Amino acid sequence: MSADHGTAGGGFTAVVLAAGKGTRMRSDRPKVLHALANRSMLGHVLAAVQEAGAARLAVVVEPGRADVADEVARMAPGASTHPQAERLGTAHAVLAARDALEGEGARERADVLVAFGDTPLITAETYARLRAPLRAGAAVAVLAFEAADPTGYGRVLTENGRVVAIREEKDASEAERAVRLSNAGLMALSGTHALSLLGRIGNDNANREYYLTDAVALAVADGLSVAVVNVSEDEALGVNDRVQLSVAEATIQARLRRAAQLGGATLVAPETVFLSADTVIGRDVTVEPHCVFGPGVVVGDGCVIRAFSHLHDARLMEGADIGPHVRLRGGAVLEAGVHLGNFVEVKNATLRAGAKASHLTYLGDAEVGAGANIGAGTITCNYDGVSKHRTVIGAGAFIGSNSALVAPVTIGDGALVGAGSVITRSVPAEALALARGRQTTREGAARVLRETLKAAKASKDGKRG
Ligand code: UD1
Ligand code: MG
């Protein structure tokens, strides 16, 4: 959490509305739990309002949704959740969190910032900008943008350059519908006026809903000042269906790639690299085209990730060089200078400094010592159909190509396993293990066999003809 945005001038309470059904997602999962860059939309909003300096966080949820409550606990452990029993509109939803607005200590956190769980692209900086006019005396600040097509949005109505009301599409006159200045939905209300304004909002409108947006006209009628803060239409995007979800994903990816680049990573073809919200990439890292970073990936300085690699829950230390076509799965740890070549898969395994597996290998539930060399086609046979078992390979060991290491098994430091071995018993340090059929060679036997086979075929074909 950074204190750069908005903590000056007293904290504020953020109320995140997340009680929506999200019917248009056509999903069994609540809309706000759909993910962007492997983090839920709600998670993005919670992260941003925390970064903006919220002193208290209240999340309004549909009653009985344990999955939403779990996500809140995970992404914002100090937040409270407030069930909204009936979905009677955005003002009604904010008031479902009344406890958080008027409880103990509310005086100090005073200001109220309303955020939407389905508007995931708003940055911490924008939340802080939305709140800023309150410190200059505004009672209400609304976030607005010039919509290319304002259909469906509330219109921000002005008179002589001053905001007088927000009108929902369904309640708007023909002339009002022509207004392109649209409400992004989010709002900041000064603590002095918030509860009084919210408490007076009625539901005399086409939807019979309690509209948060009516706080604007009420404030104006009270002679209070209402500020408009501008935001780009891209950032204001609200996600209602999976098409919009993918548009939001593209924006988040562009931001993550840019942050990685500005942090010192070369992305050769950034538009083909997919990052997670929690991906950490160091300096002087090169990422070749078509790489995917799932959740939980940390890449140290100087690493090279070659084309078509897929990483998930993995840690690469300084100077690791992997790919093309490497797959790192849960619990892969590559220490400094590890090299993995094409078609190598690593799961729940630690490779110590300088270890190498250059081709076609599976290392699962394993520990590979420093400088060990794993030959092409080596497989750790970690699963017996019932349980998983560990393979331990010592420092400087050499595993010949096409070996199967049947776990549990230990290969000692400096040991050598002959190519094609099936190793079922542990090998001591510095030992040479060979576990394969002994080769026999019969001089000239190939020719004899070939001629016998040809003769047999000719006699068969002759009978048929
Ligand atoms: C709202 C604004 C509109 C704005 C638009 C921007 C109001 C009245 N209108 O309209 O001016 O242009 O957002 O996208 O605020 N929610 C609840 N409980 C409720 C109702 C809503 O939790 O009872 C939540 C929803 O889950 C959603 C958010 O509040 O996250 C906004 O509600 P929604 O119904 O999408 O409002 P819009 O009609 O889009
Ligand atoms: Mg909406």
Side-chain angles (χ1 to χ4, degrees):
M1 213 186 285
S2 126
D4 297 340
H5 311 285
T7 39
F12 61 93
T13 298
V15 179
V16 179
L17 305 191
K21 287 252 182 274
T23 324
R24 280 175 282 167
M25 295 300 281
R26 301 198 185 280
S27 175
D28 293 335
R29 206 190 308 172
K31 174 162 76 172
V32 294
L33 295 189
H34 282 263
L36 300 172
N38 291 307
R39 173 180 287 171
S40 69
M41 291 200 274
L42 180 57
H44 283 282
V45 174
L46 294 174
V49 294
Q50 287 177 95
E51 196 188 330
R56 173 154 189 182
L57 239 167
V59 187
V60 177
V61 299
E62 189 187 334
R65 285 252 51 140
D67 45 6
V68 176
D70 288 350
E71 180 67 350
V72 172
R74 205 170 67 81
M75 291 303 298
S80 52
T81 53
H82 306 264
Q84 184 193 16
E86 278 180 292
R87 232 179 148 270
L88 300 179
T90 43
H92 181 264
V94 175
L95 283 174
R98 186 185 272 275
D99 288 356
L101 304 182
E102 59 188 9
E104 201 188 321
R107 199 181 294 275
E108 296 85 74
R109 35 183 193 265
D111 298 347
V112 179
L113 181 80
V114 180
F116 288 177
D118 66 353
T119 306
L121 301 177
I122 304 290
T123 63
E125 196 251 327
T126 299
Y127 283 118
R129 278 198 304 119
L130 178 59
R131 200 188 145 229
L134 303 185
R135 272 179 260 150
V140 175
V142 299
L143 194 63
F145 59 97
E146 286 287 334
D149 172 10
T151 310
Y153 290 115
R155 309 299 205 280
V156 180
L157 307 180
T158 53
E159 272 171 24
N160 307 320
R162 295 191 162 208
V163 186
V164 291
I166 297 177
R167 189 84 69 235
E168 292 307 299
E169 169 101 10
K170 279 191 182 166
D171 304 303
S173 67
E174 200 67 30
E176 288 167 343
R177 282 187 195 184
V179 171
R180 282 177 47 218
L181 189 62
S182 301
N183 175 29
L186 319 189
M187 192 180 280
L189 300 115
S190 98
T192 323
H193 305 288
L195 283 169
S196 141
L197 292 169
L198 291 166
R200 283 184 281 148
I201 291 173
N203 67 347
D204 184 15
N205 53 54
N207 276 346
R208 296 267 143 226
E209 281 189 10
Y210 297 85
Y211 288 160
L212 176 62
T213 43
D214 283 353
V216 171
L218 287 168
V220 170
D222 286 355
L224 301 169
S225 95
V226 176
V228 176
V229 172
N230 291 300
V231 68
S232 73
E233 184 165 9
D234 290 348
E235 190 179 336
L237 177 74
V239 173
N240 298 306
D241 59 33
R242 299 196 198 224
V243 176
Q244 288 166 328
L245 187 72
S246 70
V247 172
E249 177 78 41
T251 301
I252 294 263
Q253 288 299 334
R255 286 183 190 168
L256 292 170
R257 291 168 188 142
R258 190 178 151 80
Q261 290 171 308
L262 294 177
T266 294
L267 308 186
V268 176
E271 66 284 4
T272 68
V273 173
F274 291 84
L275 300 165
S276 286
D278 67 354
T279 304
V280 177
I281 298 188
R283 282 165 61 106
D284 289 321
V285 168
T286 298
V287 181
E288 290 187 356
H290 300 287
C291 290
V292 176
F293 294 75
V297 176
V298 177
V299 179
D301 293 347
C303 290
V304 181
I305 321 276
R306 296 179 195 275
F308 299 103
S309 293
H310 192 290
L311 290 67
H312 175 168
D313 184 17
R315 191 182 164 85
L316 281 70
M317 298 185 199
E318 204 172 336
D321 182 334
I322 68 168
H325 291 285
V326 157
R327 169 125 192 250
L328 300 183
R329 295 165 53 203
V333 177
L334 310 184
E335 288 190 353
V338 162
H339 172 254
L340 302 181
N342 47 210
F343 305 106
V344 172
E345 174 178 346
V346 177
K347 184 216 74 170
N348 187 29
T350 297
L351 278 71
R352 303 274 174 220
K356 284 187 172 54
S358 298
H359 336 260
L360 304 160
T361 287
Y362 173 59
L363 297 168
D365 301 305
E367 177 160 339
V368 178
N373 192 313
I374 311 296
T378 298
I379 306 288
T380 53
C381 310
N382 58 328
Y383 186 49
D384 56 18
V386 178
S387 307
K388 302 277 172 68
H389 302 282
R390 281 192 80 72
T391 300
V392 178
I393 298 171
F398 182 98
I399 311 297
S401 296
N402 198 32
S403 292
L405 308 176
V406 183
V409 72
T410 297
I411 312 296
D413 290 352
L416 198 154
V417 170
S421 291
V422 177
I423 299 292
T424 55
R425 281 174 293 161
S426 290
V427 178
E430 299 297 338
L432 166 64
L434 295 167
R436 61 194 186 207
R438 186 174 285 273
Q439 180 172 337
T440 57
T441 306
R442 286 189 281 150
E443 293 286 346
R447 193 184 337 105
V448 172
L449 178 63
R450 191 162 51 241
E451 277 162 12
T452 311
L453 294 173
K454 277 184 182 164
K457 184 165 189 276
S459 105
K460 210 165 143 195
D461 291 350
K463 273 184 200 145
R464 218 183 272 142

